[in-house]
Every structure is written in structure tokens, then in C-alpha cells.
Amino acid sequence: MSIAVVQNENAVPLWRRIGWLTLGEGVARTGQVVSAILLVRFLAPSAWNVIALGLSVYLVAVTIGSLNLEHSILFFLPQLTQHQTNRLLYQTVNLLRISGLVCGAVIVFVQVGTGVLGTMAIALCLACAVACELPTVVMTPIFIARGEEQYASMWGSGHALIQFLALMIPTLCGFGAIGIASGLAVSGFIRLTTFSIVFRRFINGEHVHTPGLLKRQILFCTPLGVALAAGVLTRSIDKWLVAWHEPLMVGIYSIAAFEVPILAVLPYAGGAAIAVSMVTMFHNNEVSDAHSVWWNQARMMSLVVVPLTMGLVVIAPELFEILFTHSYRTSVVPFQIFTLIGLHRVTEYGAVLRAAGRSVEIVYSSLILLSSNLVFGYIGLQIHGLVGLTVGSVLAFLVAWVWILSRLKNVFAVSMRHVFPWSTWTSSVVVSCATAAVAFFLSKGGDSAGPRLVIKLMVMGGVAAAIGLIKQRDKKVLPMRGNLLEGNSHA
């Protein structure tokens, strides 16, 4: 049996497909958040510094080591016949196995040369986790390409749960940094074993030799692989700057710069859900339809992501007071500033450029973001410590956002004014900021974090409910007006 791309966009509503992907990715990201909170709670600051740096190295190794090959499943499969699919998937997994071994070796060599990861045992565990996990990254896009988003969600959620338990059990048992690193390696081995079983069950057909397929895949993936590498380095370079400039503050900044799951998950899920449709539309030269699909998704995300972003900013002081110890109080302001980056993450821009075959521009945008983050972050760190560093990160994302929108207007052949739903996004920002300000001032007299948090949530929830009622009333009024006009015309 060979894998075929299932075009089921018309059969399954977009919101449901996005929902499944959001659930799976959300569980994974939430597990990371809860893990970080518990690690901070139960580890000594020195051990958390080592683990925070080790986890950033692990993330960079898995992302760069994937070589973007897993994304080629979604964006490369629509160009292949059904008989070529098995060959593509087998060679992808084999390449990822080799990459995993290479990345693991690099981690060991880095530890030998620098000793930044504490001990060689920790480095070996991280290397093992990376080598085991890399071949498995193709499983989620395989499910998505088959139109089985629910299984993709289950796969991501299951792995997140296993990894959470593998990290928390050593932590709660007091095994320290080496125990946590060992747990990460165990979770990677479990994932690899499960993947081997599931992969063989889905892929059991013959290998159809396709001349030039490997070369085409590598040429397709290389620009995007560079972009992903630049992207993950962008998310880690600020932590490494802190490790170099303020080594004792790595753990504190890792909490401040932690990406809230829902703000990253929703755009990712939306981009993945429309990926195959975008590829097909651009292939058929239906540029206007592709723009409509992307524009509507951006509009929908603006109504959700922007209010969530401002809500997290305003409740951050209470969350940190409840979840973390007093020593992490200095993380609040950097976290609030860093969270503002979410205001522009209302859609997946890379999905458009990949679907349009303009992968080089993704590389340019990623390099622009990486270099801007390095320059602005370094300057901000020198001027005002962690707060200055996060301000520099926000400025870097703003520069990259403006640049990528200028590329998208060329892709869709529209003006900068019409490429993005500016009015919806701006209205959402204004209403969310006003609501956040009201919530802040009404809760200002609270003595403890709990009551203040409740007041803020009630204010923001009330505004959201009121807006929802107004929209429902407008939807009912408009058809009535249409009927009255129609009746008058007949009269």
C-alpha cells in the first residue's frame, strides 16, 4: 500500500482541521510550559541554568538536523504520483537517521571543547535524544498529507505526554540535571520505537525507483532548511547572548522568553491546514483564490491571536507571582515585552512562499530576522540588560514582518494596503489594548495575585462576550434588512 495525498479540504471544514492540529500542537507546547514551571519549582537555580541551556541546544539540534525534510512531505508530495510516494518517504527517513547521528556527534564534540553542558553524561543523553527523535519528525506531516489531522494530533499529544513524564519523574525524584537528561533520552527512544511500528504499518509497498527524486528533494528542502535553521537560532541566540554576558541569568531569561503555546500553535495549525490547497492553487495559477484563502485565515487569526496576546501581557504579573518563586519576579517585564511579538503572528507567512515556490525569500526573511535579532538584542542587552534584550527582539520581528509583507504583496500581485487585513488587525489591537488597560486599572487595588487575576479575567471575558453578542445581533439584523429591501422592491 502506498501513501496518497488526500485532498479533503471540501469534505472536512477548515476550522475542524485547524482545531485538530491546534489541539495536538497545543498539548505539546503546554507540556513544555508545565515542564518549565515544575523544573523551576523543584530544581536549584544552578541545575535549572544547565537544563535550560541544554534544552535550547536540544531544540536547535532537532530543528537544524531535520534539514526541513519533514516539511517536504506536505509541499513536495502534491507534485508526485502515488507510486513515487514510498520512495520519497523511505529516503527521507534514512536521511534523517544519518542527520541524527551527525547532530548527536556534534553535541558531544561541543561538550568536549567547551564543557557548557555541565558533564559529558548530560551531553551524551542529549545526543541520544536528538538521534532518536529526528527520524520520527516525518510522522505528523504524513498524517496531514493523508487528511488525517486527528491522528496527527494524537501523535503529537502522545509524544508530549511521554516526554513530560520522562522529564518530571526524575525531577520529582530528585535525580537532578543528569536524571532529567536521561529522561529526555528515554522519551526519544520510546518515540523512535513507536514510530518504527507505525511507519511500517503505513508504508508497506514496493520502492518505486524515481531518477532524480533525491536531488529534487534536496534542492527543494535546502533553502527552507536554511530558513528553519535561522529561525531556531533566532529563538535561541538571545539565550546564548545571556549565557555569554550574564551566565547566572540564563534560567531567569529562559522563563521570560518562553513562547506561550497558543500564540505559536494557532498560526502553525492554520498554515498546515491550507498548505495543500495553496500548493494546488498556485500550481493552477489561481493566485487570486490563494490570496483570498490566506487573507481570510489572517483575518480569522487576528480576531483570536491579538486578544490572547494582550490578555497574556496584562495577567503576566499575577501568573508569575502564582507560578514562580520570588527570585523570578524580574522576568515579568521581559516576558510582557517578548509576548508582544505575538501581535504579528496572525498567520503562517512561510506557507505562502513555500506554496508559491519562492523558498529563497523565506531564507532572506529568516536571515534578516536572525541578524536583526542579534544586532538589536546585543545592543539592548548592553544598554538595559534583559529588558533591553527583549525590546531588541520585538524590533527585530517588526523589521522582518514589514519585509515579509512586502514579499507577499508581490506574490499576490496586490498593494501593501490590500495584502493583509489591516482594518481587522488594527481594530483587534485597539480593542484589546483598551480592554487590557481597563482590566489593569480595575485590579490595581487588589492585595494579592489571586483576586487581581480574577478581576482581570472577568473584565476581559466580559468584553469578549459583549463583542460576541454584538456580532450575533448584526448577523441577525443584516438578513432582516435584506428581506425588507427585497419586499420594498417587489412593492
Side-chain angles (χ1 to χ4, degrees), residues 339-472:
T339 303
L340 290 175
I341 293 174
L343 290 177
H344 88 282
R345 291 180 178 174
V346 295
T347 191
E348 176 56 47
Y349 310 104
V352 178
L353 295 176
R354 285 193 291 266
R358 303 180 70 158
S359 301
V360 174
E361 295 187 2
I362 300 179
V363 177
Y364 291 154
S365 65
S366 300
L367 293 177
I368 288 172
L369 178 58
L370 175 60
S371 57
S372 299
N373 204 34
L374 180 60
V375 173
F376 293 151
Y378 176 78
I379 294 174
L381 183 63
Q382 295 290 335
I383 294 175
H384 207 287
L386 300 187
V387 173
L389 176 58
T390 49
V391 170
S393 295
V394 173
L395 292 176
F397 274 92
L398 178 61
V399 170
W401 187 38
V402 173
W403 190 89
I404 200 70
L405 287 177
S406 71
R407 300 302 92 196
L408 292 182
K409 78 178 181 64
N410 295 334
V411 171
F412 294 125
V414 295
S415 65
M416 196 73 169
R417 179 182 177 183
H418 296 100
V419 69
F420 182 79
W422 292 107
S423 59
T424 301
W425 182 83
T426 303
S427 300
S428 188
V429 169
V430 171
V431 172
S432 300
C433 289
T435 304
V438 172
F440 172 76
F441 284 109
L442 289 179
S443 65
K444 205 169 182 181
D447 295 329
S448 60
R452 293 199 308 269
L453 180 61
V454 171
I455 293 172
K456 289 180 178 180
L457 292 176
M458 288 178 62
V459 171
M460 292 184 292
V463 172
I467 293 174
L469 290 174
I470 293 173
K471 288 183 177 180
Q472 284 185 345

Side-chain angles (χ1 to χ4, degrees), residues 235-305:
R235 295 195 299 271
S236 300
I237 196 69
D238 50 354
K239 298 180 183 67
W240 296 350
L241 282 174
V242 173
W244 166 69
H245 193 266
E246 298 284 348
L248 298 180
M249 301 291 287
V250 174
I252 290 177
Y253 184 76
S254 295
I255 293 297
F258 201 90
E259 190 174 48
V260 178
I262 193 66
L263 300 183
V265 168
L266 282 172
Y268 158 78
I274 66 172
V276 177
S277 295
M278 296 286 289
V279 172
T280 303
M281 289 176 182
F282 278 112
H283 181 73
N284 296 331
N285 201 29
E286 299 169 348
V287 178
S288 178
D289 292 339
H291 181 226
S292 296
V293 170
W294 184 83
W295 193 93
N296 286 325
Q297 181 196 314
R299 182 180 179 278
M300 180 174 62
M301 291 296 171
S302 296
L303 298 174
V304 179
V305 174

Side-chain angles (χ1 to χ4, degrees), residues 301-324:
M301 291 296 171
S302 296
L303 298 174
V304 179
V305 174
V306 171
L308 286 175
T309 298
M310 294 309 304
L312 285 167
V313 170
V314 77
I315 66 174
E318 288 72 32
L319 287 180
F320 272 71
E321 187 174 335
I322 294 171
L323 296 177
F324 303 112

